Amino acid sequence: MRSGRKTSGELDEEHLVRLVARGDRAAFEELYRRTSPWMAVRLRRRCADEQIVAEVMQETYLAVWRAAGAFIGAAAGGTAVGWLWTIAARRLVDAFRRRAHHAEPPPEAAPRSMAPAAEEEALATTVGGEVGDALRRLAPELRQVLQAMVLDGLSVRETSVLLGLPEGTVKTRARRARIEMRKALA
C-alpha cells in the first residue's frame, strides 16, 4: 500500500517549484530533469552559440533555485513552465546584450549606425525568409507581443506578465500584428 505523499516524480511542475521554494533539492533535480531538455532546444532555436545556451541554462536554473518562492503560478493564471521560459528568455536577451556590448569597438572608432537590439538578433537567427522580413518590419511593440505568443508559445496572461502590459493591450497588439503580417505576406 502506498502512502498519501507523492514522490517528486509524481508531482506536476508547479508543485515541484513550490517544493524548491522550501529548499527541496530532490524537487529541484526533478524539475531540472523534466524541463532542461525542452529549455535547451528552445534556447538553441534562438541562439546557435552553445556557450551562451549553457550559460543561460545555468543562470536560469540558479534564478529558479533562488526565486522559487516568488512564483505565483496558477493563482495568477501562469504555469511553472511559462515562468521558467520567461526567466530563460530574459536571461538570453541579457546574454545577447552582454555579447553586443563586449563586441563593440571603442566609441571613437564606432560607426554612427545603430546596432540591432538583442531581440532583433535573436529574431534574425530564429525566423528567416519572407516571414522573418515581415516580422522585422513590424513596429517593435507589435513584434514583441507576436514573438512572445507565437515563437515562445506564451499565453496572453504570460505575455502580459513578461512585457509588463495589461492583458487587453497584449490582445490588441497581437491582433494588430497578425493583420500587419497578413498584409505583408499577401
Side-chain angles (χ1 to χ4, degrees):
M1 181 180 262
R2 293 177 58 183
S3 68
R5 188 166 195 268
K6 292 182 178 182
T7 65
S8 61
E10 297 171 327
L11 297 173
D12 65 15
E13 287 80 5
E14 183 167 341
H15 286 98
L16 289 172
V17 171
R18 298 211 185 288
L19 291 173
V20 170
R22 292 189 224 139
D24 186 329
R25 285 180 103 56
F28 179 77
E29 289 169 5
E30 178 64 17
L31 183 67
Y32 180 84
R33 186 191 66 73
R34 286 187 196 180
T35 60
S36 64
W38 68 259
M39 178 84 66
V41 167
R42 289 184 89 177
L43 289 169
R44 284 185 190 109
R45 286 184 192 158
R46 286 153 184 79
C47 178
D49 187 329
E50 281 298 318
Q51 185 176 357
I52 290 176
V53 170
E55 177 183 311
V56 168
M57 291 281 292
Q58 184 176 12
E59 289 177 7
T60 298
Y61 285 98
L62 180 60
V64 167
W65 178 256
R66 289 179 175 164
F71 173 65
I72 298 170
T79 64
V81 171
W83 181 69
L84 284 166
W85 177 244
T86 300
I87 293 170
R90 288 180 178 168
R91 295 299 187 271
L92 182 60
V93 169
D94 291 344
F96 280 135
R97 286 184 178 140
R98 280 192 305 270
R99 184 175 72 179
H101 175 72
H102 292 299
E104 290 177 334
E108 62 273 6
R112 295 293 179 224
S113 64
M114 290 185 60
E119 292 86 352
E120 296 288 330
E121 192 174 324
L123 186 60
T125 60
T126 305
V127 181
E130 290 180 38
V131 174
D133 291 341
L135 265 172
R136 285 184 282 282
R137 284 192 300 266
L138 284 175
E141 66 274 7
L142 301 180
R143 186 174 48 246
Q144 284 178 326
V145 168
L146 201 60
Q147 186 172 2
M149 293 180 72
V150 176
L151 297 179
D152 296 338
L154 299 178
S155 68
V156 169
R157 180 164 285 151
E158 291 165 340
T159 301
S160 170
V161 171
L162 175 67
L163 299 177
L165 298 169
E167 288 182 40
T169 302
V170 169
K171 290 176 185 177
T172 300
R173 288 182 182 177
R175 183 175 174 276
R176 284 180 45 213
R178 288 183 181 110
I179 290 169
E180 291 296 318
M181 288 293 291
R182 273 192 221 110
K183 286 180 189 174
L185 296 172

